[in-house]
DNA sequence: ATGTAAAGGTTATGCGATTAACCTATTGTG
DNA sequence: CACAATAGGTTAATCGCATAACCTTTACAT
């Protein structure tokens, strides 16, 4: 359709009467054996002709690709809208920045099965991958079958040393929330979470630690329609507590709206703490007090670890990102009554 | 690090004592000149050895890549969080689905300048790109300099026939909002928008058409900090209207929250209509009435057009996706007073 | 004068897959 | 029986780049 052809190393070389090796070496800064004059000449021509490398050829000749794959579990619970989830969107946003700043390219994919990930990484000769949102035995499986550097951007903390793992300090986040509630005089605290998710469990254990006693626990269902029934069913129960700790802002806000509709005042009647530090938490009325996780730092840590692993496969680590309590208006001081 | 090597076509061929051409032909279904027996044999072996093509080699040998690039303008107004914006996140989500379902791969990138897009598309030998969020003269520039199929997923409607363009029916959306407000007895309507953005302008013109008269117009600033001053400064003015049409849910919800804080009841005192049909609109209190755009359909249309263009560069089209009014609780009937 | 090292390159091969051009044996046909 | 056509492949060039191995010239020391 457009006739002008792409400029190749060969073209540059021919136009200058040098070999392709020389041009290639200049491109990669291997100029020890090339006169300054020639280097200048080649660089000028490259610039002039707007040379852009053909990645396919580069990729084939070397054996690495400068591609980092980001694979997200296409979990049915998101009904195909996973990239619109605020945590995932934020992760993708910051991972994208870090990958690019490090001189790599990002390929993004939703996957349902481990096999898809392996095929994806393998066919593109990826240097490394970041995986998000799979469950523990899927990661086990993946670890045994994949042959490239891999960082798990997710909820598990387990012993291993072949793959990187970035978690946030769920326990400490819970603990900070617990301490804050205790400081504000709350003794009857309910934690809503899913105890089958180990991330949720760690947050629950943290809140107990912070409170200095066991908080009550209520299992919240993952499915949206079931959650509505759950709220209705437990309405009376909620009223018995002075504070509720929800393991995500999403749950916290949903619960808050439910209670507000039922004429329960937040925080006058019940205090609520969430977890995530999402944008929605900032916008809510009252502004939600929440345990804030630093998504940017997390992405930075993940990609810098991954790149270290790409360059030296012995460095796999488990890293944990600290969290911080962000105080809003959804917790009331019970001492000042 | 892991010793097992990848299976190549050559390996398969050697193990079976056939040529690589035969294996390659089987892989691509060019089996007219191969006996059924051989086909079966090769297929079995491919399966058995878990053959995965090396895309770099494929890409180099053919001249297409099966990569579709999605490039989003990294506009400073998003402060580096562009992929977290609900419209963009939704676009990425659905584009990703469509690209994958069509057998392509998605490379995602934020770009500041046109040059970055050209380099990106060129180095990966992309089959096509989808560009989002640039302004009109940047698209002009891009159109003149890029040599592959391209679909603009954006706000402009202009005459051209070399590149695809997917818009939504901004005018009709405004018109529907205007008609609905008129039906509900509103005569004093204010439109908040940015009249330098032609998308906003079309929505404004639409609302006037629907109302059957010129609505008043107020220019809203893009910068967040300026917007807060804007709201405060125009508070008295807002109160003179019975309804406000904001050109995005984002603006509408921000304004609604501002007014609610000022003890203005929505919709009793002022009715509000937004535009987008975002998730946030669904969750707001009262639920925002909004012009809903179908992001999935839009992505489908964009990718199917792009793929038609990839296969036949003469088909570039301007396509417009219809919108639909989604009635919430933020508009009050003024006739029944 | 001879050997050797450094400077400044060039040559040629390989990466894995695609594909046009070519080859051979068998069957069909007038 | 001679020749063509078909079936069922194979061979080898090619895509653009990277890089190890090789080559030539000049400078310098002995």
């Amino acid at each position: 359709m457009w006739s002008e052809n792409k400029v190749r190393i060969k073209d540059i070389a021919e136009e200058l009467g040098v070999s392709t090796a020389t041009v290639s070496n200049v491109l990669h800064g291997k100029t020890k054996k090339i006169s300054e004059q020639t280097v200048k000449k080649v660089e000028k021509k490259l610039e002039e002709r707007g040379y852009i490398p053909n990645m396919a050829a580069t990729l084939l000749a070397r054996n690495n690709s400068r591609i980092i794959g980001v694979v997200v579990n296409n979990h049915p619970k998101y009904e195909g809208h996973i990239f619109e989830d605020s945590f995932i969107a934020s992760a993708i946003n910051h991972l994208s920045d870090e990958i690019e700043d490090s001189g790599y390219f990002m390929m993004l994919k939703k996957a349902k099965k481990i096999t898809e990930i392996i095929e994806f990484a393998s066919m593109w000769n990826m240097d490394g991958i970041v995986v998000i949102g799979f469950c523990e035995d899927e990661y086990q499986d993946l670890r045994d079958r994949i042959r490239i550097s891999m960082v798990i951007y997710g909820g598990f903390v387990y012993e291993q040393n072949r793959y990187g793992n970035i978690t946030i300090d769920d326990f400490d986040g819970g603990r900070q929330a617990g301490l804050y509630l205790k400081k504000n005089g709350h003794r009857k605290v309910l934690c809503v979470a899913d105890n089958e998710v180990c991330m949720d469990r760690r947050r629950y254990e943290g809140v107990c630690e912070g409170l200095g006693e066991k908080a009550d626990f209520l299992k919240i269902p993952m499915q949206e329609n079931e959650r509505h029934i759950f709220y209705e069913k437990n309405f009376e129960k909620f009223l018995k507590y002075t504070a509720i700790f929800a393991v995500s802002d999403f749950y916290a806000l949903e619960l808050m709206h439910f209670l507000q509709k039922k004429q329960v005042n937040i925080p006058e009647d019940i205090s609520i703490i969430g977890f995530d530090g999402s944008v929605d938490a900032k916008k809510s009325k009252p502004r939600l007090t929440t345990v804030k996780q630093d998504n940017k730092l997390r992405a930075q840590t993940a990609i810098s670890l991954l790149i270290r692993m790409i360059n030296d496969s012995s460095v796999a680590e488990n890293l944990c990102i600290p969290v911080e309590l962000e105080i809003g208006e959804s917790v009331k001081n019970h001492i000042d009554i």
Side-chain angles (χ1 to χ4, degrees), chain A residues 130-145:
Chain A
V130 177
V131 273
I132 307 178
F134 292 87
C135 67
E136 196 149 2
D137 46 342
E138 287 172 312
Y139 284 133
Q140 290 294 6
D141 188 13
L142 187 54
R143 258 169 33 205
D144 296 338
R145 290 169 58 196

Side-chain angles (χ1 to χ4, degrees), chain A residues 258-286:
Chain A
F258 168 76
L259 290 173
Q260 286 173 331
K261 263 192 191 148
K262 292 280 189 175
Q263 313 300 328
V264 177
N265 291 314
I266 313 293
E268 290 74 14
D269 301 334
I270 300 181
S271 292
I272 295 185
I273 288 192
F275 202 115
D276 278 346
S278 67
V279 182
D280 291 343
K282 272 208 186 93
K283 288 197 226 152
S284 69
K285 287 202 319 172

Side-chain angles (χ1 to χ4, degrees), chain A residues 72-75 77-89 92 109-111 132-133:
Chain A
V72 185
N73 183 6
N74 193 1
H75 196 285
K77 108 174 161 187
Y78 292 98
E79 292 168 0
H81 293 253
I82 180 92
F83 292 163
E84 296 175 65
D85 174 77
S86 68
F87 171 70
I88 301 292
I92 292 171
K109 186 183 164 67
K110 301 180 185 181
I132 307 178

